[in-house]
């Protein structure tokens, strides 16, 4: 009986505990950038990817960690002559030879790697002419593109600047086919946003799996959704209350003046320290992720 008791004591038992996730690098691709990397995009050939910083874009092979190929270099011989920097870059979802990169001047260049090893000449150049009557001291700052994303079908691309999201048809370079105002009510506050450096915040944007809806972030932990078919937009808030299990997100609205309704928030009450810069949408389901400061919120469509 004593021997049996000792054997039973050695049988492992299952004890519940909190889930712990730990990431460990499989490969380290190092020493290829002088400046901070702003973009990484895996190619549709699943063999290569690009990484971009302010002045260069490098092409990597996923199996080679100690060598990359420089495919874009905008660094001038004299840095005093520098007029713009690269802000984002992405590969086309189907054409492995095509990629785009955006600049701080609000322009987008589409390049074809078949034309030359160094893509110093673009195939297409996308830019919306500025209205001279609306030009101000902040025009160049707010026109800087912080993110560029191809649609899943590869026909369109979306860009995010400080105040708006624009959708471009790859066959039309002179202007976007759609423009959505994210927080136009902040235009009157650009001076204070410049003083507290918020005007340099870089917001991301993303498509849903069907390319029918666009999502991007804003201040006060708000994030915006734009339905491309109905042209209706929705403002939602990522908060502790909304993150409770089965909690339903209620649309929010910002009041710019006059009498404020019960469910509205005044533009003067917005917290600019709370901001959603990073957003992601599941490729096939209505499942989204938004990063608010040091919190990650996951929201799922209502399940009956």
């Amino acid at each position: 009986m004593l021997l049996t008791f000792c054997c039973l004591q050695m049988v492992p038992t299952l004890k519940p505990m909190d889930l712990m996730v730990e990431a460990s690098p499989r490969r380290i691709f190092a020493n290829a950038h002088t400046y901070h990397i702003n973009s990484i995009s895996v190619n549709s050939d699943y063999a290569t990817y690009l990484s971009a910083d302010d002045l260069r874009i490098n092409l990597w092979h996923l199996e080679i960690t100690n060598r990359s190929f420089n495919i874009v270099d905008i660094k001038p011989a004299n840095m005093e002559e520098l007029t713009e920097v690269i802000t984002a870059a992405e590969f086309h979802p189907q054409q492995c030879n095509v990629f785009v990169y955006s600049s701080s001047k609000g322009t987008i260049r589409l390049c074809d790697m078949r034309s030359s090893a160094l893509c110093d000449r673009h195939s297409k150049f996308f830019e919306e002419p500025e209205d001279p009557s609306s030009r101000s001291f902040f025009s160049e700052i707010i026109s800087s593109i912080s993110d560029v994303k191809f649609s899943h079908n590869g026909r369109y691309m979306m860009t995010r600047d400080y105040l708006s999201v624009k959708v471009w048809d790859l066959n039309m370079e002179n202007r976007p086919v759609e423009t959505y105002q994210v927080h136009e009510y902040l235009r009157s506050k650009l001076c204070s946003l410049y003083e507290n450096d918020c005007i340099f915040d870089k917001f991301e944007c993303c498509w849903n799996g069907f390319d029918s809806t666009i999502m991007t972030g804003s201040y006060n932990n708000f994030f915006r959704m734009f339905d491309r078919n109905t042209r209706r937009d929705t403002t939602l808030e990522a908060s502790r209350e909304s993150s409770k299990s089965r909690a339903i997100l209620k649309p929010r609205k910002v009041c710019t003046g006059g009498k404020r309704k019960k469910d509205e928030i005044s533009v003067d009450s917005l917290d600019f320290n709370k901001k959603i810069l990073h957003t992601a949408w599941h490729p096939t389901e209505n499942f989204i992720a938004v990063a608010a400061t040091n919190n990650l919120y996951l929201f799922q469509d209502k399940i009956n």
Side-chain angles (χ1 to χ4, degrees):
M1 290 296 293
L2 181 60
L3 178 62
T4 305
F5 177 75
C6 291
C7 290
L8 289 174
Q9 288 293 93
M10 296 177 65
V11 175
T13 58
L14 179 65
K15 294 183 178 180
M17 61 180 297
D18 294 335
L19 176 65
M20 297 180 64
V21 180
E22 182 178 346
S24 59
R26 296 289 185 89
R27 297 181 181 90
I28 297 178
F29 302 81
N31 304 323
H33 288 278
T34 307
Y35 307 95
H36 292 299
I37 296 172
N38 57 47
S39 302
I40 293 177
S41 178
V42 179
N43 201 346
S44 59
D45 61 11
Y46 296 108
T48 57
Y49 74 95
L50 65 77
S51 60
D53 64 26
D54 286 353
L55 300 178
R56 293 188 176 97
I57 300 177
N58 293 331
L59 179 68
W60 300 80
H61 193 283
L62 289 170
E63 301 297 329
I64 303 174
T65 62
N66 61 351
R67 186 171 69 252
S68 64
F69 299 94
N70 182 223
I71 54 176
V72 173
D73 189 346
I74 66 169
K75 184 177 181 179
N78 183 1
M79 286 295 286
E80 293 182 358
E81 299 174 0
L82 183 67
T83 59
E84 62 181 333
V85 295
I86 298 169
T87 55
E90 188 180 56
F91 266 121
H92 191 277
Q94 283 112 31
Q95 301 174 33
C96 62
N97 53 286
V98 174
F99 68 95
V100 294
Y101 68 92
S102 57
S103 84
S104 56
K105 281 192 170 182
T107 61
I108 311 102
R109 293 170 173 84
L110 185 144
C111 301
D112 191 334
M113 292 190 294
R114 295 173 299 182
S115 60
S116 63
L118 182 64
C119 299
D120 50 354
R121 294 186 180 181
H122 50 267
S123 300
K124 292 186 177 182
F125 183 78
F126 300 85
E127 182 180 24
E128 183 178 23
E130 183 185 7
D131 183 1
S133 62
S134 62
R135 182 166 180 80
S136 69
F137 170 79
F138 307 106
S139 294
E140 188 169 330
I141 301 174
I142 64 175
S143 66
S144 176
I145 294 174
S146 57
D147 196 16
V148 57
K149 290 284 188 350
F150 278 109
S151 60
H152 294 84
N153 59 21
R155 171 69 185 275
Y156 303 95
M157 66 178 175
M158 167 175 55
T159 59
R160 171 68 205 265
D161 56 45
Y162 189 69
L163 294 178
S164 65
V165 171
K166 297 174 182 177
V167 176
W168 303 76
D169 190 319
L170 294 189
N171 298 318
M172 189 166 71
E173 303 171 49
N174 60 336
R175 61 182 176 87
V177 292
E178 301 166 24
T179 300
Y180 302 96
Q181 301 300 332
V182 178
H183 38 217
E184 182 65 19
Y185 47 78
L186 295 181
R187 189 176 291 273
S188 62
K189 296 188 171 296
L190 292 179
C191 186
S192 58
L193 291 166
Y194 176 79
E195 291 174 352
N196 63 17
D197 286 341
C198 285
I199 200 170
F200 301 106
D201 286 335
K202 300 183 183 302
F203 293 94
E204 293 180 358
C205 53
C206 62
W207 305 84
N208 71 339
F210 305 101
D211 297 331
S212 60
T213 307
I214 291 167
M215 179 172 64
T216 190
S218 182
Y219 293 104
N220 210 74
N221 281 3
F222 288 168
F223 58 100
R224 307 290 315 280
M225 289 186 176
F226 303 94
D227 189 310
R228 298 180 62 208
N229 298 320
T230 63
R231 293 302 178 100
R232 288 195 292 185
D233 61 276
T234 306
T235 301
L236 301 171
E237 181 181 7
S239 64
R240 296 280 182 176
E241 291 73 21
S242 63
S243 63
K244 294 179 181 178
S245 179
R246 299 188 180 277
I248 298 177
L249 290 177
K250 295 181 180 180
R252 301 299 305 272
K253 188 174 182 181
V254 178
C255 174
T256 56
K259 191 174 181 180
R260 182 170 61 90
K261 297 181 180 179
K262 180 180 179 182
D263 296 332
E264 292 181 340
I265 181 171
S266 170
V267 65
D268 297 319
S269 302
L270 295 176
D271 188 345
F272 294 110
N273 292 317
K274 295 180 179 180
K275 61 192 79 173
I276 293 178
L277 302 178
H278 310 288
T279 57
W281 204 310
H282 192 282
T284 57
E285 301 177 16
N286 273 336
F287 195 93
I288 63 172
V290 295
T293 317
N294 59 341
N295 296 311
L296 177 65
Y297 295 89
L298 302 177
F299 299 107
Q300 190 174 15
D301 194 13
K302 185 178 179 181
I303 301 176
N304 295 324

